[in-house]
Amino acid sequence: MALYDGNQQRSILTSRERQIFQLLVEDNSTKDISIQLSISEKTVRNHISNTIQKLGVSGRSQAIVELLRLGELSLN
């Protein structure tokens, strides 16, 4: 569900949300992500919750599947 603005593709995720979900896909825990990004675990959880809400899904796993389907994340 990436949005197009003229010739540029806009993402439904902020850069931080994408960063967090990419780290989740790479099997990092919430604690690992908070340490890597120098933010609190609560902030990580808030970004995850915001993304889940944006996508209208019920959990992290469904969010990851949807983000992969939409091309917002990759399995590198």
Side-chain angles (χ1 to χ4, degrees):
M1 189 164 119
L3 304 174
Y4 292 92
D5 183 15
N7 291 336
Q8 291 186 337
Q9 182 177 350
R10 286 190 334 205
S11 172
I12 60 172
L13 298 180
T14 66
S15 59
R16 182 63 92 180
E17 289 167 346
R18 180 177 297 98
Q19 197 175 28
I20 288 170
F21 270 87
Q22 192 62 54
L23 289 168
L24 284 173
V25 165
E26 295 167 6
D27 205 26
N28 288 281
S29 69
T30 303
K31 184 174 185 172
D32 295 336
I33 294 168
S34 72
I35 292 167
Q36 288 181 47
L37 300 180
S38 300
I39 59 177
S40 73
E41 284 185 71
K42 172 103 173 92
T43 300
V44 173
R45 288 192 303 272
N46 286 342
H47 283 298
I48 293 167
S49 295
N50 290 342
T51 302
I52 288 169
Q53 192 171 19
K54 280 184 193 180
L55 295 170
V57 295
S58 61
R60 292 178 185 197
S61 298
Q62 283 186 335
I64 289 169
V65 169
E66 185 65 10
L67 291 169
L68 289 167
R69 186 186 74 75
L70 294 170
E72 294 279 349
L73 291 179
S74 61
L75 294 174
N76 294 354

